[in-house]
């Protein structure tokens, strides 16, 4: 922990650097212009973090590398670790029998309790993650897992398990049978199940149907008694052109689905094209552009950045040709990654993390894995109340293929957890321009991507990071949770 004198000196130095104009410039992106702006004079120093604890959940968690990731830690899990009503919950696969383990602890520092669900991971595929959700209306914990272009494996707990956790033992018999549908609602073959709680306390499930380069996003909703399908809201069709080639099929990759304090549902995303000829080299990645839409009616209709309706769930779909949805144009030559991270601040404005290989390292990526590791950089995008998006590069090299996670504290200061568990932060007072590394990941030996508990940040000001230690081959390794107090 840094003492108050050191803290004061550091704030003075940061303010001085900003005052003499040495801070990193900010790129402002809007539908009509792009310009460079400097951070505010005299801005406060980036907020620091204090490491509180690091606890082991399983010494022998399942380990294999697939699609450059682990099945227990993937950026698109929403959520693998979450807090609700004073208890924290986490999920992973153990190596002993490949079963999903669901754990809980009473906060702030209770012992972890674990149970195993009667299922075994079907394949060594890092897409087949576990996602957790809570339905506030009946106090159930929901588990969606083990799916990649296949039917879901789904389990839900008895009513009241999370709302009355203190009086309920943590045993597998409190969960129902493993299903291949949502209580009879057959979703077909899906990928990327992600839960979100609506303003009226319903639970939604987002998922993709179809495959990479030819898929659509859909929503289902649970009202406390039954699931129902809301339908598709993104389109796979439409023409997109680059390098003299045309792609007619794609899929939308979400950076998240996040409800803000005013009930607005935010969705930032990138597109992936099916036709690799639109890239400068087939060793690249056919992702392009950062798109953004929002919904003020719980995902029934969708509007672009300017507020124009561009989609209706179950009707007219958001597509690559929808007007006004691109807020940061990037072509398909820079290894732009899909499914990174987003959050919403206390004023209701979205913050998004994206990463790619900037043009100063070349205008044509020929090997997206190696070049992202060598030259990839993360960028922070934030929208203001007038609808203008601002973008700034985070001045810490990724040195990794994988993605980063963003959270905001209760004062809207931003913290980004980079691969390997490194933490950088920026203050709201600076306009999120004073990005500084606060933790270098020392001692974690984290594989790469990690996942975070956003709900605990909101309720307690504590950042919990679920990570797995690096191993080799299929040798099991510990999965752990490290906690940081946010300044």
């Amino acid at each position: 922990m840094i003492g108050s004198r050191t803290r004061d000196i550091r704030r003075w130095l940061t303010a001085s650097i900003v005052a003499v104009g040495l801070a990193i410039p900010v790129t402002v992106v809007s539908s009509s212009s792009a310009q460079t702006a400097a951070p505010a004079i005299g801005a406060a120093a980036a907020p620091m973090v204090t490491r509180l604890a690091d606890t082991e959940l399983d010494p022998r968690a399942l380990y294999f590398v697939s699609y450059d990731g682990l099945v227990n830690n993937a950026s698109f899990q929403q959520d693998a670790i979450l807090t609700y009503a004073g208890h924290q919950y986490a999920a992973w696969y153990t190596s002993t029998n490949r079963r999903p383990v669901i754990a809980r602890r009473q906060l702030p520092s209770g012992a972890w309790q674990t149970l195993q669900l009667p299922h075994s991971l079907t394949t060594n595929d890092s897409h087949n993650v576990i996602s957790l959700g809570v339905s506030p209306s009946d106090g159930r914990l929901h588990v969606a897992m083990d799916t990649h272009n296949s039917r879901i494996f789904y389990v839900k707990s008895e009513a009241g398990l999370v709302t009355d956790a203190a009086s309920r033992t943590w045993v597998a018999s409190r969960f129902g049978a493993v299903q291949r549908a949502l209580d009879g609602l057959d979703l077909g073959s899906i990928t990327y199940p992600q839960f979100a709680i609506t303003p009226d306390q319903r639970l939604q499930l987002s998922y993709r149907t179809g495959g990479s380069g030819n898929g659509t996003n859909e929503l289902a909703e649970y009202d406390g008694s039954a699931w129902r399908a809301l339908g598709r809201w993104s389109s796979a069709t439409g023409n997109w052109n680059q390098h003299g080639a045309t792609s007619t099929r794609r899929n939308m990759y979400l950076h998240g689905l996040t409800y803000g304090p005013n009930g607005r549902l935010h969705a930032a995303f990138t597109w992936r094209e099916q036709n690799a000829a639109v890239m400068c080299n087939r060793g690249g990645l056919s992702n392009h552009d950062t798109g953004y839409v929002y919904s003020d009616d719980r995902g029934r209709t969708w509007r672009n950045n300017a507020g124009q309706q561009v989609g209706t769930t179950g009707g007219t779909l958001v597509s690559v040709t929808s007007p006004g949805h691109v807020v940061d144009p990037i072509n398909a030559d820079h290894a732009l990654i899909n499914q990174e991270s987003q959050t919403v601040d206390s004023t209701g404005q979205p913050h998004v993390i994206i990463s790619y290989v900037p043009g100063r390292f070349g205008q044509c990526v020929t090997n997206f894995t190696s070049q992202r590791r060598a030259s990839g950089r993360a960028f922070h995008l934030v929208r203001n109340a007038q609808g203008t998006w601002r973008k700034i590069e985070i001045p810490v090299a990724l040195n990794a293929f994988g993605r980063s996670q963003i959270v905001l504290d209760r004062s809207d200061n931003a913290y980004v957890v980079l691969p390997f568990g490194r933490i950088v932060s920026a203050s709201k007072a600076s306009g999120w321009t004073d990005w500084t590394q606060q933790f270098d990941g020392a001692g974690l030996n984290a594989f790469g991507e990690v996942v975070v508990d956003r709900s605990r940040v909101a309720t307690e000001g504590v950042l919990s990071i679920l990570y797995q230690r690096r191993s080799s081959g299929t040798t099991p390794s510990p999965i752990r949770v490290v906690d940081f107090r946010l300044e």
Side-chain angles (χ1 to χ4, degrees), residues 311-340:
T312 302
T313 299
T316 302
L317 306 180
V318 178
S319 76
V320 75
T321 59
S322 294
H325 76 274
V326 175
V327 297
D328 184 41
I330 301 173
N331 68 27
D333 297 338
H334 292 278
L336 175 68
I337 201 65
N338 46 288
Q339 297 164 294
E340 196 125 16

mmCIF file of all heavy atoms in Angstrom, residues 311-340:
data_model
loop_
_atom_site.group_PDB
_atom_site.id
_atom_site.type_symbol
_atom_site.label_atom_id
_atom_site.label_comp_id
_atom_site.label_asym_id
_atom_site.label_seq_id
_atom_site.Cartn_x
_atom_site.Cartn_y
_atom_site.Cartn_z
ATOM 1 N N GLY A 311 -33.536 -1.271 -35.868
ATOM 2 C CA GLY A 311 -33.827 -2.690 -35.748
ATOM 3 C C GLY A 311 -34.966 -2.968 -34.790
ATOM 4 O O GLY A 311 -35.245 -2.191 -33.872
ATOM 5 N N THR A 312 -35.617 -4.097 -35.016
ATOM 6 C CA THR A 312 -36.678 -4.595 -34.146
ATOM 7 C C THR A 312 -36.432 -6.076 -33.922
ATOM 8 O O THR A 312 -36.314 -6.838 -34.896
ATOM 9 C CB THR A 312 -38.069 -4.403 -34.778
ATOM 10 O OG1 THR A 312 -38.264 -3.015 -35.057
ATOM 11 C CG2 THR A 312 -39.161 -4.893 -33.848
ATOM 12 N N THR A 313 -36.357 -6.482 -32.683
ATOM 13 C CA THR A 313 -36.136 -7.891 -32.390
ATOM 14 C C THR A 313 -37.313 -8.711 -32.909
ATOM 15 O O THR A 313 -38.469 -8.414 -32.615
ATOM 16 C CB THR A 313 -35.958 -8.101 -30.877
ATOM 17 O OG1 THR A 313 -34.816 -7.366 -30.449
ATOM 18 C CG2 THR A 313 -35.777 -9.568 -30.534
ATOM 19 N N GLY A 314 -36.981 -9.725 -33.708
ATOM 20 C CA GLY A 314 -38.015 -10.530 -34.330
ATOM 21 C C GLY A 314 -38.569 -9.925 -35.597
ATOM 22 O O GLY A 314 -39.467 -10.502 -36.216
ATOM 23 N N GLY A 315 -38.037 -8.774 -36.030
ATOM 24 C CA GLY A 315 -38.530 -8.101 -37.231
ATOM 25 C C GLY A 315 -37.377 -7.634 -38.089
ATOM 26 O O GLY A 315 -36.516 -8.419 -38.496
ATOM 27 N N THR A 316 -37.316 -6.317 -38.371
ATOM 28 C CA THR A 316 -36.200 -5.741 -39.106
ATOM 29 C C THR A 316 -34.947 -5.808 -38.250
ATOM 30 O O THR A 316 -34.938 -5.344 -37.107
ATOM 31 C CB THR A 316 -36.495 -4.278 -39.478
ATOM 32 O OG1 THR A 316 -37.696 -4.227 -40.252
ATOM 33 C CG2 THR A 316 -35.343 -3.679 -40.270
ATOM 34 N N LEU A 317 -33.875 -6.383 -38.765
ATOM 35 C CA LEU A 317 -32.696 -6.681 -37.965
ATOM 36 C C LEU A 317 -31.593 -5.645 -38.157
ATOM 37 O O LEU A 317 -31.460 -5.059 -39.240
ATOM 38 C CB LEU A 317 -32.160 -8.073 -38.328
ATOM 39 C CG LEU A 317 -33.168 -9.226 -38.251
ATOM 40 C CD1 LEU A 317 -32.499 -10.540 -38.639
ATOM 41 C CD2 LEU A 317 -33.775 -9.326 -36.856
ATOM 42 N N VAL A 318 -30.799 -5.435 -37.108
ATOM 43 C CA VAL A 318 -29.619 -4.584 -37.216
ATOM 44 C C VAL A 318 -28.624 -5.286 -38.141
ATOM 45 O O VAL A 318 -28.276 -6.453 -37.919
ATOM 46 C CB VAL A 318 -28.979 -4.347 -35.836
ATOM 47 C CG1 VAL A 318 -27.718 -3.490 -35.978
ATOM 48 C CG2 VAL A 318 -29.974 -3.693 -34.880
ATOM 49 N N SER A 319 -28.144 -4.574 -39.152
ATOM 50 C CA SER A 319 -27.276 -5.201 -40.154
ATOM 51 C C SER A 319 -26.071 -4.326 -40.428
ATOM 52 O O SER A 319 -25.976 -3.174 -39.970
ATOM 53 C CB SER A 319 -28.047 -5.439 -41.458
ATOM 54 O OG SER A 319 -28.209 -4.221 -42.168
ATOM 55 N N VAL A 320 -25.142 -4.859 -41.225
ATOM 56 C CA VAL A 320 -23.935 -4.133 -41.588
ATOM 57 C C VAL A 320 -24.266 -2.897 -42.419
ATOM 58 O O VAL A 320 -23.455 -1.967 -42.497
ATOM 59 C CB VAL A 320 -22.960 -5.067 -42.338
ATOM 60 C CG1 VAL A 320 -23.433 -5.321 -43.766
ATOM 61 C CG2 VAL A 320 -21.535 -4.544 -42.306
ATOM 62 N N THR A 321 -25.458 -2.854 -43.007
ATOM 63 C CA THR A 321 -25.874 -1.693 -43.805
ATOM 64 C C THR A 321 -26.780 -0.744 -43.031
ATOM 65 O O THR A 321 -27.230 0.256 -43.591
ATOM 66 C CB THR A 321 -26.601 -2.159 -45.079
ATOM 67 O OG1 THR A 321 -27.748 -2.939 -44.714
ATOM 68 C CG2 THR A 321 -25.684 -2.997 -45.961
ATOM 69 N N SER A 322 -27.038 -1.029 -41.750
ATOM 70 C CA SER A 322 -27.862 -0.127 -40.944
ATOM 71 C C SER A 322 -27.164 1.227 -40.810
ATOM 72 O O SER A 322 -25.973 1.285 -40.501
ATOM 73 C CB SER A 322 -28.109 -0.707 -39.556
ATOM 74 O OG SER A 322 -28.893 -1.883 -39.614
ATOM 75 N N PRO A 323 -27.867 2.323 -41.009
ATOM 76 C CA PRO A 323 -27.209 3.637 -40.971
ATOM 77 C C PRO A 323 -26.780 4.018 -39.550
ATOM 78 O O PRO A 323 -27.446 3.694 -38.563
ATOM 79 C CB PRO A 323 -28.306 4.582 -41.476
ATOM 80 C CG PRO A 323 -29.587 3.884 -41.136
ATOM 81 C CD PRO A 323 -29.309 2.423 -41.307
ATOM 82 N N GLY A 324 -25.636 4.714 -39.481
ATOM 83 C CA GLY A 324 -25.235 5.375 -38.251
ATOM 84 C C GLY A 324 -24.804 4.497 -37.108
ATOM 85 O O GLY A 324 -24.685 4.983 -35.976
ATOM 86 N N HIS A 325 -24.513 3.219 -37.350
ATOM 87 C CA HIS A 325 -24.153 2.364 -36.218
ATOM 88 C C HIS A 325 -22.644 2.279 -36.003
ATOM 89 O O HIS A 325 -22.200 1.876 -34.935
ATOM 90 C CB HIS A 325 -24.727 0.951 -36.400
ATOM 91 C CG HIS A 325 -23.983 0.112 -37.388
ATOM 92 N ND1 HIS A 325 -24.228 0.137 -38.739
ATOM 93 C CD2 HIS A 325 -22.966 -0.792 -37.219
ATOM 94 C CE1 HIS A 325 -23.425 -0.703 -39.354
ATOM 95 N NE2 HIS A 325 -22.643 -1.286 -38.457
ATOM 96 N N VAL A 326 -21.837 2.634 -36.997
ATOM 97 C CA VAL A 326 -20.381 2.551 -36.852
ATOM 98 C C VAL A 326 -19.878 3.799 -36.127
ATOM 99 O O VAL A 326 -20.073 4.917 -36.591
ATOM 100 C CB VAL A 326 -19.689 2.415 -38.215
ATOM 101 C CG1 VAL A 326 -18.170 2.449 -38.044
ATOM 102 C CG2 VAL A 326 -20.114 1.121 -38.896
ATOM 103 N N VAL A 327 -19.239 3.598 -34.971
ATOM 104 C CA VAL A 327 -18.737 4.730 -34.184
ATOM 105 C C VAL A 327 -17.216 4.821 -34.207
ATOM 106 O O VAL A 327 -16.655 5.836 -33.804
ATOM 107 C CB VAL A 327 -19.252 4.663 -32.730
ATOM 108 C CG1 VAL A 327 -20.775 4.769 -32.706
ATOM 109 C CG2 VAL A 327 -18.789 3.387 -32.019
ATOM 110 N N ASP A 328 -16.549 3.781 -34.662
ATOM 111 C CA ASP A 328 -15.091 3.831 -34.837
ATOM 112 C C ASP A 328 -14.737 2.940 -36.018
ATOM 113 O O ASP A 328 -14.608 1.720 -35.864
ATOM 114 C CB ASP A 328 -14.369 3.366 -33.575
ATOM 115 C CG ASP A 328 -12.855 3.518 -33.707
ATOM 116 O OD1 ASP A 328 -12.419 4.548 -34.257
ATOM 117 O OD2 ASP A 328 -12.113 2.620 -33.266
ATOM 118 N N PRO A 329 -14.577 3.515 -37.204
ATOM 119 C CA PRO A 329 -14.310 2.692 -38.386
ATOM 120 C C PRO A 329 -12.885 2.158 -38.398
ATOM 121 O O PRO A 329 -11.925 2.908 -38.245
ATOM 122 C CB PRO A 329 -14.544 3.666 -39.551
ATOM 123 C CG PRO A 329 -14.349 5.016 -38.960
ATOM 124 C CD PRO A 329 -14.754 4.938 -37.520
ATOM 125 N N ILE A 330 -12.760 0.844 -38.549
ATOM 126 C CA ILE A 330 -11.466 0.173 -38.672
ATOM 127 C C ILE A 330 -11.629 -0.898 -39.734
ATOM 128 O O ILE A 330 -12.554 -1.719 -39.649
ATOM 129 C CB ILE A 330 -11.025 -0.478 -37.343
ATOM 130 C CG1 ILE A 330 -10.925 0.561 -36.223
ATOM 131 C CG2 ILE A 330 -9.682 -1.195 -37.507
ATOM 132 C CD1 ILE A 330 -10.667 -0.047 -34.864
ATOM 133 N N ASN A 331 -10.747 -0.931 -40.732
ATOM 134 C CA ASN A 331 -10.905 -1.926 -41.782
ATOM 135 C C ASN A 331 -10.450 -3.305 -41.295
ATOM 136 O O ASN A 331 -10.011 -3.462 -40.150
ATOM 137 C CB ASN A 331 -10.210 -1.493 -43.080
ATOM 138 C CG ASN A 331 -8.692 -1.460 -42.947
ATOM 139 O OD1 ASN A 331 -8.087 -2.173 -42.145
ATOM 140 N ND2 ASN A 331 -8.057 -0.626 -43.767
ATOM 141 N N ALA A 332 -10.555 -4.282 -42.171
ATOM 142 C CA ALA A 332 -10.319 -5.676 -41.778
ATOM 143 C C ALA A 332 -8.856 -6.088 -41.905
ATOM 144 O O ALA A 332 -8.560 -7.275 -42.033
ATOM 145 C CB ALA A 332 -11.194 -6.603 -42.627
ATOM 146 N N ASP A 333 -7.930 -5.145 -41.804
ATOM 147 C CA ASP A 333 -6.512 -5.437 -42.000
ATOM 148 C C ASP A 333 -5.674 -5.304 -40.728
ATOM 149 O O ASP A 333 -4.449 -5.399 -40.784
ATOM 150 C CB ASP A 333 -5.929 -4.494 -43.064
ATOM 151 C CG ASP A 333 -6.565 -4.688 -44.423
ATOM 152 O OD1 ASP A 333 -7.120 -5.777 -44.672
ATOM 153 O OD2 ASP A 333 -6.526 -3.739 -45.237
ATOM 154 N N HIS A 334 -6.308 -5.090 -39.562
ATOM 155 C CA HIS A 334 -5.550 -4.738 -38.362
ATOM 156 C C HIS A 334 -5.777 -5.676 -37.173
ATOM 157 O O HIS A 334 -5.450 -5.337 -36.044
ATOM 158 C CB HIS A 334 -5.864 -3.301 -37.956
ATOM 159 C CG HIS A 334 -5.342 -2.287 -38.930
ATOM 160 N ND1 HIS A 334 -4.029 -1.856 -38.918
ATOM 161 C CD2 HIS A 334 -5.939 -1.660 -39.978
ATOM 162 C CE1 HIS A 334 -3.854 -0.987 -39.902
ATOM 163 N NE2 HIS A 334 -4.993 -0.859 -40.562
ATOM 164 N N ALA A 335 -6.306 -6.873 -37.435
ATOM 165 C CA ALA A 335 -6.487 -7.875 -36.380
ATOM 166 C C ALA A 335 -7.305 -7.328 -35.215
ATOM 167 O O ALA A 335 -7.010 -7.599 -34.046
ATOM 168 C CB ALA A 335 -5.150 -8.430 -35.892
ATOM 169 N N LEU A 336 -8.329 -6.545 -35.536
ATOM 170 C CA LEU A 336 -9.278 -6.098 -34.517
ATOM 171 C C LEU A 336 -9.913 -7.322 -33.874
ATOM 172 O O LEU A 336 -10.443 -8.189 -34.561
ATOM 173 C CB LEU A 336 -10.353 -5.220 -35.162
ATOM 174 C CG LEU A 336 -11.505 -4.764 -34.277
ATOM 175 C CD1 LEU A 336 -11.021 -3.785 -33.213
ATOM 176 C CD2 LEU A 336 -12.607 -4.131 -35.142
ATOM 177 N N ILE A 337 -9.867 -7.398 -32.533
ATOM 178 C CA ILE A 337 -10.379 -8.589 -31.859
ATOM 179 C C ILE A 337 -11.872 -8.430 -31.580
ATOM 180 O O ILE A 337 -12.378 -7.313 -31.436
ATOM 181 C CB ILE A 337 -9.588 -8.879 -30.556
ATOM 182 C CG1 ILE A 337 -9.745 -10.346 -30.126
ATOM 183 C CG2 ILE A 337 -10.046 -7.946 -29.451
ATOM 184 C CD1 ILE A 337 -9.145 -11.331 -31.093
ATOM 185 N N ASN A 338 -12.554 -9.531 -31.528
ATOM 186 C CA ASN A 338 -13.974 -9.554 -31.201
ATOM 187 C C ASN A 338 -14.176 -9.825 -29.709
ATOM 188 O O ASN A 338 -13.293 -10.326 -29.027
ATOM 189 C CB ASN A 338 -14.685 -10.639 -32.012
ATOM 190 C CG ASN A 338 -13.938 -11.952 -32.002
ATOM 191 O OD1 ASN A 338 -12.879 -12.065 -32.644
ATOM 192 N ND2 ASN A 338 -14.445 -12.941 -31.282
ATOM 193 N N GLN A 339 -15.350 -9.467 -29.194
ATOM 194 C CA GLN A 339 -15.805 -9.839 -27.851
ATOM 195 C C GLN A 339 -14.852 -9.383 -26.753
ATOM 196 O O GLN A 339 -14.442 -10.171 -25.909
ATOM 197 C CB GLN A 339 -16.016 -11.355 -27.769
ATOM 198 C CG GLN A 339 -17.102 -11.835 -28.691
ATOM 199 C CD GLN A 339 -17.039 -13.323 -28.875
ATOM 200 O OE1 GLN A 339 -16.084 -13.844 -29.447
ATOM 201 N NE2 GLN A 339 -18.047 -14.024 -28.403
ATOM 202 N N GLU A 340 -14.564 -8.095 -26.739
ATOM 203 C CA GLU A 340 -13.661 -7.595 -25.713
ATOM 204 C C GLU A 340 -14.454 -7.197 -24.467
ATOM 205 O O GLU A 340 -14.825 -8.060 -23.669
ATOM 206 C CB GLU A 340 -12.805 -6.446 -26.231
ATOM 207 C CG GLU A 340 -11.613 -6.154 -25.353
ATOM 208 C CD GLU A 340 -10.275 -6.184 -26.062
ATOM 209 O OE1 GLU A 340 -10.242 -6.130 -27.300
ATOM 210 O OE2 GLU A 340 -9.248 -6.267 -25.384
#
